[in-house]
Amino acid sequence: SYELTQPPSVSVSPGQTAKITCSGDALTKQYGYWFQQKPGQAPVQLIYKDNERPSGIPERFSASSSGTTGTLTISGVQAEDEADYYCQSADISGTHWLFGGGTKLTVL
Amino acid sequence: QVQLVESGGGLVKPGGSLRLSCAASGFTFSDYYMSWIRQAPGKGLEWVSYISSSGNIIYYADSVKGRFTISRDNAKNTLFLQTNSLRAEDTAVYYCARGYYDSSGFNYWGQGTLVTVSS
């Protein structure tokens, strides 16, 4: 079965750049998506179709994909960016959707 | 504006059932596919089920197949999830999310409804 693997945690100082990776065979065949979730809130889509940003999402959020790895980059991290981040894709048949285990971003 | 409002969660005993609803507004519901996605307390997101815009294509996660049934009423702009034979491991916040057929993904989510399975 397909799985998406993320680091459990990433720490960064304010103003620095945070990179969160997502690895899985599914990413070679299907688009990758990224979500931000703050405590007690529903997830918010940050990235779709590997590297597209929905309207209203700050430009400091960007993403790329190469082979089996997708990467979410947060440039100039702000305190408000402290949250859980999830990658998401689908299996090769497009009949099951997958989420990574999530990465807790801590802003030091 | 787009709104998805879940309801129907609550406390249920193992083996019991609940019917979750997701009321949609602010967009043409019948144009979008919908999914249920859940999150156990302190855990990550888990996709549960998908239904196409017309309701004729349905998929389930292996963990709920045979126990949960997804459906929709496009006339009433409402998505449903009938959950049967509930287990402790089904305890979670259940979110509904919409998607469009342009690969834009789950771009709107509801605030979720909590299902607690406990004796």
Side-chain angles (χ1 to χ4, degrees):
Chain A
S1 64
Y2 289 90
E3 294 181 346
L4 297 175
T5 301
Q6 300 179 234
S9 63
V10 168
S11 299
V12 64
S13 299
Q16 299 301 303
T17 296
K19 290 184 182 290
I20 300 172
T21 58
C22 175
S23 299
D25 291 342
L27 297 177
T28 62
K29 302 289 186 185
Q30 301 283 359
Y31 285 122
Y33 301 80
W34 289 93
F35 297 87
Q36 177 193 66
Q37 187 182 34
K38 295 182 178 179
Q41 298 183 19
V44 172
Q45 189 186 64
L46 296 176
I47 298 289
Y48 66 97
K49 289 173 68 174
D50 288 344
N51 55 23
E52 301 284 338
R53 196 171 48 249
S55 60
I57 300 301
E59 291 183 6
R60 65 178 183 276
F61 293 96
S62 64
S64 62
S65 183
S66 178
T68 61
T69 301
T71 303
L72 175 70
T73 300
I74 311 172
S75 304
V77 167
Q78 302 179 6
E80 68 196 49
D81 298 331
E82 188 162 282
D84 293 324
Y85 291 84
Y86 294 91
C87 62
Q88 179 254 308
S89 188
D91 70 357
I92 192 171
S93 65
T95 63
H96 286 66
W97 281 254
L98 314 168
F99 286 93
T103 298
K104 181 175 181 59
L105 176 69
T106 299
V107 181
L108 300 171
Chain B
Q1 73 280 21
V2 174
Q3 278 201 311
L4 297 169
V5 180
E6 301 93 337
S7 61
L11 176 63
V12 61
K13 289 181 169 53
S17 300
L18 280 176
R19 190 190 197 204
L20 308 184
S21 299
C22 169
S25 60
F27 65 101
T28 304
F29 182 66
S30 58
D31 284 347
Y32 289 77
Y33 66 80
M34 300 294 295
S35 269
W36 288 97
I37 296 156
R38 68 183 181 183
Q39 186 170 36
K43 303 297 184 183
L45 300 169
E46 179 189 17
W47 170 78
V48 172
S49 185
Y50 160 100
I51 187 167
S52 62
S53 57
S54 64
N56 64 330
I57 299 174
I58 286 172
Y59 304 119
Y60 297 100
D62 292 345
S63 58
V64 306
K65 198 168 186 178
R67 301 187 298 122
F68 289 11
T69 302
I70 192 171
S71 62
R72 65 190 295 161
D73 184 337
N74 284 347
K76 295 184 177 179
N77 294 337
T78 305
L79 172 73
F80 302 100
L81 186 69
Q82 178 67 42
T83 66
N84 298 332
S85 303
L86 285 164
R87 307 165 180 166
E89 54 265 35
D90 295 318
T91 295
V93 173
Y94 285 73
Y95 296 100
C96 63
R98 76 163 201 185
Y100 194 63
Y101 295 98
D102 60 354
S103 299
S104 56
F106 299 125
N107 53 18
Y108 277 95
W109 298 53
Q111 285 304 304
T113 187
L114 176 62
V115 172
T116 302
V117 184
S118 175
S119 56

